[in-house]
Amino acid sequence: MPLANSPIVQLTHRDRVGGVSLILGSLLLAVYALLFAALLPLGAPCHQLVVSPSWRPLAFTALTGVLLLLGGFYAALRTDEGNRRARSDAIGFAFVAVAYILQACRLTWELCIDPVIASHPESVFLLRDMVIFSNPVVAAFRLVSLATIFVGTVLFSMTLYRSRVYPKAAAILTGVGALVVRDRSDGVGARRNRRYRDVRRSAVV
């Protein structure tokens, strides 16, 4: 049959998998944000948060969502290869891929390393006294991560929205998922940093 050789039919499976990955990944990040606020004592110090029984399941949920989004982004880029906007779309993909790879690295650290640091008296000061978060390299990592999330998501969400393959909901949910990651990174990291610096200044005075 002629339709058997149609490029649309050949791309259907990949497009569906990519769309499902984008939607599921964004939904997981939204669930993560809701449960993070509901299950963790947000007023507690960082070294107490990471030893909570809910910390690792939440970090794993966010990591799964980020990896699903990465797969969905790649599928969307492959689908759009023949488009005349493919070059600008590839730039957006490069930004968003770097952003979510950095987030995956950070979430892996939070899943595997932070609870170990906080559970030992010999190393807990690294989190309690903000030794890690005040390091210039860590600060630069957070800045690059937030910048690439913003730029990459804006560009690639436009790609998804213009696409005739993916539903508009995929672009909207992808943007929501990126906002969750960005707000969480900035909120739990930067705002907590400022609060601890104020506490340390007052202690010195």
Side-chain angles (χ1 to χ4, degrees):
M1 295 177 61
L3 289 177
N5 297 321
S6 170
I8 297 177
V9 175
Q10 292 174 2
L11 294 176
T12 296
H13 178 69
R14 184 178 64 196
D15 296 339
R16 287 178 178 174
V17 171
V20 169
S21 295
L22 289 171
I23 292 173
L24 284 181
S26 299
L27 288 175
L28 281 177
L29 290 180
V31 169
Y32 161 78
L34 293 174
L35 292 180
F36 192 93
L39 298 180
L40 294 178
L42 296 184
C46 181
H47 67 281
Q48 294 180 8
L49 283 177
V50 299
V51 295
S52 168
S54 301
W55 180 265
R56 275 180 163 154
L58 287 173
F60 182 77
T61 300
L63 180 60
T64 303
V66 166
L67 294 178
L68 283 171
L69 283 174
L70 270 173
F73 293 147
Y74 179 71
L77 179 69
R78 291 294 304 274
T79 299
D80 211 41
E81 278 181 342
N83 195 298
R84 60 185 178 183
R85 298 184 303 265
R87 180 174 297 181
S88 62
D89 295 345
I91 294 174
F93 172 77
F95 273 99
V96 82
V98 169
Y100 279 82
I101 288 172
L102 293 178
Q103 285 300 314
C105 293
R106 178 174 178 164
L107 288 165
T108 302
W109 181 280
E110 293 180 356
L111 177 65
C112 302
I113 307 299
D114 280 349
V116 176
I117 293 174
S119 61
H120 289 79
E122 300 86 357
S123 56
V124 67
F125 75 95
L126 293 171
L127 295 175
R128 183 191 60 216
D129 299 337
M130 305 300 294
V131 174
I132 292 177
F133 298 112
S134 60
N135 185 279
V137 176
V138 176
F141 177 91
R142 178 179 290 115
L143 181 62
V144 171
S145 177
L146 293 177
T148 51
I149 282 179
F150 178 75
V151 175
T153 302
V154 168
L155 293 177
F156 215 71
S157 292
M158 291 173 60
T159 297
L160 295 176
Y161 193 83
R162 293 190 305 248
S163 173
R164 297 182 179 180
V165 176
Y166 294 100
K168 300 295 186 281
I172 296 172
L173 286 173
T174 298
V176 171
L179 289 176
V180 168
V181 173
R182 184 181 182 279
D183 181 69
R184 192 265 177 192
S185 298
D186 187 48
V188 179
R191 286 197 296 266
R192 195 171 296 277
N193 260 350
R194 289 194 294 268
R195 185 161 63 89
Y196 275 105
R197 289 195 190 100
D198 293 340
V199 170
R200 292 179 68 182
R201 287 197 195 99
S202 62
V204 171
V205 175

